[in-house]
Amino acid sequence: MKEYWNGIWASPDIEKYMGYVNGYVTWKPKFLDVFAQYEVESVCDAACGFGAYSVMLAKNGYAVSGFDISDESVRLTQTMMEKFSCAYGAYKVCGITEIEYGDASFNAVVAHAVIDHVSLADARAALGELFRILTPGGLLFITFDPLGEEDINKKHEVLEDGSRLYEDGLRFRHYTDEDIKTLIGDNKIIHSNTNSHGEREYILQK
């Protein structure tokens, strides 16, 4: 997966990505209302991609750090933070099953469209790691993508755990509502929502 994501973010068109990120600068997603209610101050952007959520979180006043398995992604995110005049903490190159932050490092973690791109076994391990880096009572915002026509029709093989592996190297596992319930287990859900894109959003509390 590291090779796939490095390929995605290699040699980015900085102006193009700035155009994407610009749409996030003034965005105040609903989950931030819950963050405010629980007095969140520090947030980890898990699998930070091209930095859109990092910029959004920083512009909304949070102390932001993050990580990604791709060093290209981390560089791009840091570039976006600098282009949009955002202060930021330590960004690390690491996988979601071996996160290189200490225990209880953050009040909240944002994991947008992340868990469905790893194996089921790694998803379970990832939840443990995401909770590990949260302070007691900390919040985990996590999303699960819907299954679209492109996901179904694009050429792929189905792996043993139900994941789809596409020819370009992308891995995607669609979670039904029952699958999500099983994965979350006994963890406390304080907020859930299905947004206009069909993403299932959850905020879990440690």
Side-chain angles (χ1 to χ4, degrees), residues 11 43 45 85-86 115 166 179 182 198:
S11 305
V43 184
D45 184 6
S85 302
C86 297
I115 292 296
Y166 295 94
D179 291 336
T182 300

Side-chain angles (χ1 to χ4, degrees), residues 28-170:
K28 287 186 174 290
K30 291 181 180 179
F31 73 82
L32 291 188
D33 293 338
V34 181
F35 280 16
Q37 180 185 346
Y38 283 80
E39 299 182 342
V40 166
E41 295 179 351
S42 59
V43 184
C44 177
D45 184 6
C48 54
F50 61 95
Y53 271 68
S54 287
V55 170
M56 178 273 290
L57 289 162
K59 289 296 185 182
N60 279 285
Y62 294 96
V64 186
S65 296
F67 69 88
D68 200 285
I69 196 171
S70 165
D71 49 336
E72 301 285 355
S73 165
V74 168
R75 279 194 286 271
L76 179 56
T77 295
Q78 290 172 319
T79 297
M80 290 298 110
M81 294 292 269
E82 290 160 6
K83 292 287 187 182
F84 285 92
S85 302
C86 297
Y88 60 91
Y91 276 76
K92 297 179 181 290
V93 178
C94 60
I96 199 166
T97 61
E98 295 181 328
I99 301 172
E100 295 182 4
Y101 293 104
D103 296 354
S105 293
F106 303 97
N107 303 143
V109 174
V110 168
H112 174 257
V114 179
I115 292 296
D116 24 27
H117 291 297
V118 300
S119 69
L120 180 57
D122 281 353
R124 292 169 178 150
L127 276 184
E129 276 290 270
L130 295 170
F131 276 115
R132 179 185 64 78
I133 64 173
L134 283 173
T135 54
L139 305 181
L140 169 59
F141 173 74
I142 188 169
T143 71
F144 298 86
D145 283 343
L147 185 64
E149 279 190 32
E150 184 179 355
D151 301 316
I152 297 168
N153 296 329
K154 188 177 175 183
K155 192 170 181 181
H156 65 274
E157 62 175 302
V158 178
L159 304 180
E160 190 175 340
D161 70 347
S163 301
R164 289 170 162 83
L165 182 62
Y166 295 94
E167 286 186 317
D168 59 4
L170 176 65

Side-chain angles (χ1 to χ4, degrees), residues 13-38:
D13 181 335
I14 297 300
E15 294 299 319
K16 180 180 77 172
Y17 279 106
M18 284 182 68
Y20 294 153
V21 173
N22 192 57
Y24 288 77
V25 170
T26 58
W27 183 41
K28 287 186 174 290
K30 291 181 180 179
F31 73 82
L32 291 188
D33 293 338
V34 181
F35 280 16
Q37 180 185 346
Y38 283 80

